[in-house]
Amino acid sequence: MQAGSTITLGDRSLSLEQIWQRLDEVPDPEIPAISLVDLGIIRDVRWEDGTLEVTVSPTYSGCPATSMIKLEIIKALTELGIPRIDLKRQLSPPWTTDWISERGRKRLEDYGIAPPQPAGGPQHCPHCRAEELERISQFGSTPCKAQWRCKTCLEPFDYFKCI
Amino acid sequence: MAADPLFELLLRMGDNTLILAQRLSQWCGHGPTLEEDIALANIALDLTGHTQLWLGLAGEVEGAGRDADGLAFHRDVWDFRNTLLVEQPNGDFGQTIMRQYLFDAWHVLQLEALRESSNPQVAEIAEKAIKEVSYHQERSSETVIGLGDGTEESHARMQAALDLLLPYVGEFFANDAVDEIMKEAGIAPLPDSLRSAFDEQITPVMQAATLTVPDTDFAHSGGKSGRQHSEHLGHILPQMQWLQRAYPDASW
Ligand SMILES: [Zn+2]
């Protein structure tokens, strides 16, 4: 049973909004401080003939978390009682760090990861907020991060690369 | 020509990224510093991601039921279409970085052109990959400059790497029948149309690195046509494929 954006499953109804809310509770497997919705990789959720179509854009091409992310989405939606789920991969337009939500950026910083900046480097140290910084390496512990260091508190930190 | 030219083009793209990724991942745990080790492994990972896209599309185009894994793990040397440059040994760190920079400089130009491809699937893979590859080039060019314009020792090693590897660059820019058909169809650029932009990219970098570009037109060839790979590919493949050769289509 399908009416607009709400579908009836057994004795209850489920809106697309509730589905987005559930997806917003699924943490990114590599940076659990933010959700898949915060990361901006869920591009669309819609019903198509009783099947829930979820469109996902990959972050980095070779990101090993991609298959884990698919599993986590299917698990979360299956727990909501959705019987048929179709995950679609969307390459174009390519995912950009501009799609990370404001709340996601805040959560990254609270977690100790400097959020991406168009200038190509972190704005300030996520620990002490000092602005005297130096890059240690263009790459880091995951494909999406680089390593920087704060010259004031001397702590190294991850920077979420801007792409 | 036996094979579909689009299939050939996609193999050329995917085999370049696959074999270079395999070469780079051989550094994992052996890098000169932790940061460099991580960087090479991350670049290998990006290139592996591109391989999945290119070879995945190649499998679709071929329509014979082979997916990216099938193409990567169940072909032998003569079926590979990567250029000879990417199968060359890692050598020392400088040689690996020089090989990477020469490849990146071509790769960025090739992807820029493929973004305009008349084939939308080719265009969207190129659009995705170029973001990562531009970052690779940023790093490899900085590292070439740092090492070339570094100590006497590092300079000598970088010059030796450039002398050794430059003759492998010509293959990227040599047109053949596949290229002509792809150009005609608006799918891919003619390789030689990218040469002057390539030279414009590397000349200032080599200057800043205080390195002398050898004055030679000699170009090794035979990789992208599959006619004659170097012996090195025959050693890379068993290492990469042994598990799937011993246990076909194993999963865990
Ligand atoms: Zn600090």
Side-chain angles (χ1 to χ4, degrees):
Chain A
M1 291 294 113
Q2 193 175 335
S5 62
T6 301
I7 197 163
T8 306
L9 295 169
D11 57 356
R12 66 203 177 90
S13 64
L14 193 60
S15 68
L16 284 180
E17 200 182 353
Q18 287 171 296
I19 293 168
W20 276 102
Q21 276 168 6
R22 181 67 189 88
L23 289 172
D24 200 16
E25 290 162 10
V26 180
D28 174 76
E30 283 186 338
I31 310 173
I34 65 172
S35 81
L36 299 182
V37 173
D38 282 329
L39 194 58
I41 60 169
I42 312 279
R43 304 312 300 163
D44 191 32
V45 177
R46 67 170 70 207
W47 290 106
E48 208 62 60
D49 291 332
T51 296
L52 187 72
E53 279 187 8
V54 182
T55 305
V56 183
S57 286
T59 53
Y60 277 77
S61 307
C63 184
T66 306
S67 52
M68 195 63 198
I69 286 172
K70 285 188 204 160
L71 279 176
E72 295 289 341
I73 292 173
I74 289 174
K75 183 163 161 271
L77 297 178
T78 306
E79 280 167 9
L80 271 188
I82 297 169
R84 287 197 301 279
I85 303 152
D86 184 17
L87 292 190
K88 295 192 166 308
R89 181 188 72 187
Q90 182 177 300
L91 283 183
S92 179
W95 176 81
T96 153
T97 40
D98 293 349
W99 294 350
I100 299 176
S101 67
E102 270 309 312
R103 192 187 58 182
R105 296 173 62 85
K106 174 83 174 56
R107 286 178 172 177
L108 280 175
E109 182 145 37
D110 292 345
Y111 190 63
I113 300 173
Q117 301 292 344
Q123 192 176 36
H124 50 234
C125 166
H127 308 298
C128 75
R129 310 216 141 221
E131 291 179 6
E132 284 278 292
L133 312 167
E134 64 179 340
R135 190 178 71 192
I136 303 174
S137 171
Q138 275 151 299
F139 290 87
S141 54
T142 65
C144 57
K145 289 178 285 185
Q147 295 172 64
W148 283 67
R149 179 168 37 220
C150 173
K151 288 182 168 177
T152 302
C153 73
L154 304 181
E155 283 294 318
F157 62 90
D158 278 330
Y159 165 62
F160 204 109
K161 296 187 302 208
C162 186
I163 66 165
Chain B
M1 201 179 330
D4 174 357
L6 177 57
F7 178 64
E8 286 287 308
L9 171 77
L10 295 168
L11 287 186
R12 289 172 179 188
M13 293 305 297
D15 287 346
N16 272 331
T17 52
L18 173 63
I19 299 302
L20 187 54
Q22 179 69 16
R23 272 290 185 228
L24 291 175
S25 60
Q26 290 169 338
W27 273 103
C28 194
H30 302 274
T33 65
L34 183 59
E35 288 76 17
E36 294 305 333
D37 198 287
I38 290 170
L40 292 176
N42 267 294
I43 293 168
L45 194 59
D46 287 343
L47 294 173
T48 304
H50 305 161
T51 304
Q52 284 173 330
L53 297 171
W54 292 123
L55 294 187
L57 183 55
E60 276 177 44
V61 165
E62 186 192 35
R66 293 199 280 186
D67 60 7
D69 281 353
L71 288 166
F73 296 128
H74 297 301
R75 283 180 301 151
D76 213 332
V77 169
W78 47 84
D79 292 324
F80 273 76
R81 296 292 181 264
N82 58 280
T83 52
L84 299 176
L85 177 74
V86 299
E87 66 195 44
Q88 294 310 301
N90 286 333
D92 58 22
F93 180 71
Q95 191 176 320
T96 292
I97 291 298
M98 182 60 76
R99 183 186 61 199
Q100 189 64 36
Y101 174 59
L102 295 172
F103 179 78
D104 291 342
W106 165 80
H107 203 191
V108 166
L109 296 169
Q110 173 78 352
L111 293 173
E112 272 175 3
L114 291 179
R115 272 196 308 198
E116 312 297 324
S117 176
S118 63
N119 180 310
Q121 288 168 296
V122 169
E124 70 177 21
I125 295 174
E127 196 187 356
K128 175 75 191 157
I130 198 167
K131 290 186 157 205
E132 292 153 19
V133 171
S134 304
Y135 199 77
H136 300 170
Q137 177 176 270
E138 196 182 306
R139 173 179 176 281
S140 63
S141 60
E142 282 177 18
T143 314
V144 163
I145 294 170
L147 291 173
D149 187 23
T151 63
E152 204 176 311
E153 172 79 16
S154 72
H155 172 84
R157 287 181 182 232
M158 293 309 278
Q159 185 63 56
L162 180 58
D163 295 346
L164 176 73
L165 297 174
L166 196 75
Y168 291 95
V169 163
E171 189 179 14
F172 287 94
F173 304 101
N175 305 344
D176 66 12
V178 169
D179 299 316
E180 305 278 354
I181 298 169
M182 289 296 94
K183 165 68 184 168
E184 199 60 35
I187 293 175
L190 267 185
D192 69 358
S193 70
L194 305 176
R195 182 74 209 219
S196 61
F198 176 85
D199 291 337
E200 278 165 35
Q201 159 62 226
I202 71 162
T203 303
V205 169
M206 295 308 172
Q207 266 167 8
T210 68
L211 298 174
T212 309
V213 180
D215 184 19
T216 171
D217 286 339
F218 178 69
H220 296 285
S221 67
K224 81 172 203 180
S225 65
R227 181 176 51 78
Q228 193 173 28
H229 281 282
S230 65
E231 63 175 295
H232 307 297
L233 186 62
H235 295 273
I236 297 171
L237 293 189
Q239 190 184 41
M240 185 177 81
Q241 298 176 331
W242 74 268
L243 193 138
Q244 284 76 11
R245 290 185 187 194
Y247 307 98
D249 303 315
S251 66
W252 61 86

